Structures are given as structure tokens and as C-alpha cells.
Amino acid sequence: INAEYMGRIPACGPPCITPKPLALRVCPPPATLAVYIHWPFCARRCPYCKFNTYVRASVEHARMSACLVSELQRQLARSWPRDLSVGSIYFGGGTPSLAEPSTIESAISAIRTQRSLSSDVEITLETNPTHIETTKLQQFSNALVNRCSIGIQALNDRDLAFFGREHSAAQAMRTVEVANKIFSRTSLDLMWGRPGQTVEAWATELKMAITLGAGHISLYQLTLESGTPLERDYRAGKFSLPNDDAMADMYEACSEIMEASGFVQYEVSNFARPGHASRHNQHYWLGQDYVGVGPGAHGRMSLSDSVRVATVQHLSPETWMNAVEQESNGDVVCETLLPSQRSEELLFLGLRTARGIDLGLFEKCAGVPLQKAVNMEGLSMMVAEGLMALDDSTLRCTKRGLAVVDSVLRKIML
């Protein structure tokens, strides 16, 4: 999610141009600040993955840790308001559970030197269900991590092998069992729409995942990202995917089975029991401020009451560390967000949520009413087809609309 806007702002540029103040006030007034920390290293690269990840024979843990601390202190010292507490910290990757627990602890400590943590702060760490990572979970908890996001991806060994995963289904279930005992909140990632997968098999697997006891489950349709080994194999005819009707039925099964089990669909791919929705991701979807630190991390943060910037850190770990050490700045991009960009982001992210967009807040943040920010002809068509709902206060996708949200957005975006 942190890389959602890769390509929406330039991938290169000055380390940080002087942000220009705008007449438009930063909006909405942030209640808390979120912090995203990217650990880019993996033990191996999965064939479907196009995230900013790297496999290295050895990792300079102490150097990475020192650079993370330095960048966290710099970014937090300049974000506004200065007294804003941190409500969410998210260690993503990559595979951050491969980092030393002391690195995680140092990063959290660096944040606390600059900002207070809210009383109910959510601190999430992504992990894979391999034995070496599972044994470290208690150490991460001791470092104040209180939410564990586990990349299961599948609960059958055939598909796990296809995905190039290092764990088995049994290891995945064991990791969830251990995590549930250590952390107050756990989340699982699963992918559907896999080669040879039937609706019935997916329903059975999903019900099995629910029994594992996590309060949050993310269900992602398998996407063939351009340039990945999986995409090349698909184009070479080495495997096929379920047809469109089967895909639609699998998505419908996601909603039906999850909701019947007490989960609420609060975003296209995310389901949570009451009180277990990801606070961090909601910072993204609701257009709130978040600091992004680490190779390739994106950020959106206010520097004053009239300046909000988009930041991107250097992609390569080595380039990023050199920049932090030599220039005291890991940013490759730092640009003021224009009202038109703000409008686009609020629409693109807000309409992926079940609650949709508050129209009054949208106008305050974007500087224009909704009617001037979207293709009204396309919007009217989407409402008429039952894919969107519009009233005096809210614009949202219907349940049918969420299933095809990318197509809906293409119809209404200018």
C-alpha cells in the first residue's frame, strides 16, 4: 500500500525542493500521525512480487538501523503539527521480521524521542511463517510491537510452492497460533484467483483461515505484475488463471463468507472483526498524514498549515544509506501536493473504502466541490448502474461497485 502511488509523482528529482505554501489549508486536521518503515530485504524474491525488495548475501544490520534512526528523527522533527502524537507505526517490506529485534526497538525508540505515542498506538510488523521468524516474535513483542501481519498467501502446499514461498501450510497455521498468544492483534494475507483454483476450493480454504482466530484478514486477487517471473510464465502459456466468471464468484465468496463469520468489509480487500481494522491503512485511505522512511518508502505529510508534501526515499538500500550518511536526507522526491493531486488521491483511495468520501470534507481538502473534480457524466452512469451511491453528504461505491472499483474509478476520474 505504501507504494500505491509509485509513478504518480516523479521517480527522481532534487533531494527536497523548497515546498511552496498554498492558499489551501492542510485538511483534514490530523488527529494522529502514522509512520511507515520499510525493511527492503527478503530471504528470496517471490515470483509474483514487484515491491521494492532485495535479496542480499549479507545485510549491514547496524548500518541500516542507524540510518533508520537518523531519518526517523529528521522526518518527525519537520512534520507538522509538532505536538502531534503517533497513532500507528508499520514495519513493512520486504520482510521486516528478518531484521534484528534491536533494529525494531531502536526505530521505535527514535520515534519516541521526537513524538509521544498515543495511548492506543498500533505497532504492526509484517512476518512470514518460517521457523526462524516465528521464534523471534516474542522479541518483537518485547520491543513494543503489538500487531502481527502474517503473509500466509495460501493454505495448501501446492500453491505455496507455486508462489515460491518457503513455508508450508502447517507452518503457517502454527505461526498464527503462536502470534495469537503473543500479540493483541493479528492479521493474515491470502491470495485468491490462483491457477486451477475453484470457487469451492477457495471457500473451503477461506473458512479454514477464519478458524485460525485472526481479527483481520486481507484477501487479494492474484495480480500478474508486468516484468515478474510469474507474468512471463503466464505469457509463455505455462499456466492459466480462472475465467472472469469464476473470479467474480470468488470475490463474492469473500464477502459472503467473511460477513457470515462476523467480519466487516471496510475496504475492497480488507475484512476485520469489530475493533480490528488496520489503523495504519486507514491513514492512507482517509488521506491523513504519514511519514515514510526506508528505501523506496512513500510519505504524505504536512510541513505547516498550508504545505503538504509527497516524499519518496531512494529505492536502492545502498544508495539510500549513502544519502542518509552523507547528506542527512534519504529523500529523492519531496514536492508540494497541489489541490488537483490532493483531489485525485482522496478519490482514488477513499472510494476503495466501504464508507466512501465525505463530500463536505472533500471540498475543504481539495478546494473544489465534487462536481468539478470528477466526470459527472461518468458518475451519473455509475449511479444509474447501481455501482455507486451519491447523496447530500457522501459518495461511495456499492458492494457491486467495490468488486469492480478500478473500472468505476476510470469512468469518473477526469
Side-chain angles (χ1 to χ4, degrees), residues 187-257:
S187 177
L188 312 180
D189 287 358
L190 288 167
M191 286 193 288
W192 54 274
R194 309 188 299 248
Q197 190 176 44
T198 64
V199 177
E200 294 74 21
W202 170 233
T204 298
E205 190 171 339
L206 184 52
K207 291 174 183 177
M208 184 186 305
I210 291 169
T211 66
L212 298 180
H216 186 282
I217 301 181
S218 299
L219 304 174
Y220 300 109
Q221 181 179 347
L222 174 61
T223 301
L224 300 176
E225 298 286 356
S226 176
T228 60
L230 202 63
E231 187 259 353
R232 290 195 292 269
D233 285 350
Y234 176 77
R235 290 190 178 278
K238 294 183 179 181
F239 67 89
S240 60
L241 296 175
N243 61 37
D244 290 344
D245 287 342
M247 291 287 201
D249 289 342
M250 287 185 206
Y251 181 83
E252 187 174 341
C254 292
S255 296
E256 291 179 355
I257 293 171

Side-chain angles (χ1 to χ4, degrees), residues 336-401:
T336 302
L337 281 170
L338 301 174
S340 59
Q341 294 170 307
R342 183 80 168 119
S343 167
E344 182 182 1
E345 291 195 353
L346 289 168
L347 289 167
F348 186 83
L349 293 176
L351 289 175
R352 300 183 69 83
T353 67
R355 73 169 73 179
I357 295 171
D358 180 292
L359 298 184
L361 190 58
F362 176 86
E363 184 169 351
K364 290 179 181 177
C365 296
V368 295
L370 179 74
Q371 293 85 342
K372 293 186 177 181
V374 301
N375 179 335
M376 288 302 294
E377 182 179 349
L379 175 56
S380 297
M381 183 188 305
M382 294 297 95
V383 171
E385 293 181 9
L387 299 177
M388 301 195 81
L390 175 65
D391 58 32
D392 291 339
S393 62
T394 307
L395 172 67
R396 63 178 178 83
C397 288
T398 63
K399 182 167 287 190
R400 285 180 52 224

Side-chain angles (χ1 to χ4, degrees), residues 16 52 56 60 79 87 91 94 107 113 182 184 222 245 263 284 303 311 318 340 376 382:
C16 189
N52 188 44
R56 296 286 190 263
E60 297 178 276
S79 65
F91 293 91
T113 65
I182 295 175
S184 57
L222 174 61
D245 287 342
F263 286 77
Y284 300 152
L303 302 185
T311 64
E318 291 75 22
S340 59
M376 288 302 294
M382 294 297 95

Side-chain angles (χ1 to χ4, degrees), residues 119-369:
S119 59
D120 60 348
V121 64
E122 175 187 270
I123 305 180
T124 304
L125 182 131
E126 294 179 347
T127 186
N128 286 330
T130 60
H131 175 71
I132 187 171
E133 293 167 64
T134 303
T135 59
K136 296 162 67 176
L137 294 183
Q138 185 60 58
Q139 293 174 285
F140 291 129
S141 175
N142 295 342
L144 295 185
V145 173
N146 56 21
R147 183 175 182 269
C148 185
S149 181
I150 307 168
I152 289 178
Q153 313 311 351
L155 280 173
N156 70 73
D157 290 344
R158 182 201 66 181
D159 288 349
L160 287 170
F162 174 79
F163 285 147
R165 306 295 285 178
E166 293 187 302
H167 65 273
S168 66
Q171 283 178 306
M173 290 185 281
R174 172 59 180 161
T175 297
V176 179
E177 180 183 1
V178 172
N180 284 338
K181 294 176 180 177
I182 295 175
F183 301 99
S184 57
R185 305 171 79 193
T186 55
S187 177
L188 312 180
D189 287 358
L190 288 167
M191 286 193 288
W192 54 274
R194 309 188 299 248
Q197 190 176 44
T198 64
V199 177
E200 294 74 21
W202 170 233
T204 298
E205 190 171 339
L206 184 52
K207 291 174 183 177
M208 184 186 305
I210 291 169
T211 66
L212 298 180
H216 186 282
I217 301 181
S218 299
L219 304 174
Y220 300 109
Q221 181 179 347
L222 174 61
T223 301
L224 300 176
E225 298 286 356
S226 176
T228 60
L230 202 63
E231 187 259 353
R232 290 195 292 269
D233 285 350
Y234 176 77
R235 290 190 178 278
K238 294 183 179 181
F239 67 89
S240 60
L241 296 175
N243 61 37
D244 290 344
D245 287 342
M247 291 287 201
D249 289 342
M250 287 185 206
Y251 181 83
E252 187 174 341
C254 292
S255 296
E256 291 179 355
I257 293 171
M258 296 300 289
E259 291 178 4
S261 301
F263 286 77
V264 175
Q265 183 178 13
Y266 69 103
E267 192 267 347
V268 173
S269 303
N270 287 271
F271 300 78
R273 296 192 186 278
H276 286 262
S278 168
R279 297 174 198 166
H280 188 85
N281 287 345
Q282 289 182 89
H283 269 81
Y284 300 152
W285 297 324
L286 299 179
Q288 297 174 347
D289 282 10
Y290 58 96
V291 170
V293 168
H298 288 225
R300 298 289 187 274
M301 65 181 184
S302 305
L303 302 185
S304 71
D305 67 347
S306 59
V307 177
R308 192 168 192 261
V309 297
T311 64
V312 184
Q313 302 247 286
H314 288 279
L315 293 177
S316 159
E318 291 75 22
T319 301
W320 176 78
M321 286 188 285
N322 287 338
V324 173
E325 291 169 341
Q326 297 169 17
E327 303 170 17
S328 300
N329 187 344
D331 289 338
V332 67
V333 171
C334 177
E335 295 188 349
T336 302
L337 281 170
L338 301 174
S340 59
Q341 294 170 307
R342 183 80 168 119
S343 167
E344 182 182 1
E345 291 195 353
L346 289 168
L347 289 167
F348 186 83
L349 293 176
L351 289 175
R352 300 183 69 83
T353 67
R355 73 169 73 179
I357 295 171
D358 180 292
L359 298 184
L361 190 58
F362 176 86
E363 184 169 351
K364 290 179 181 177
C365 296
V368 295

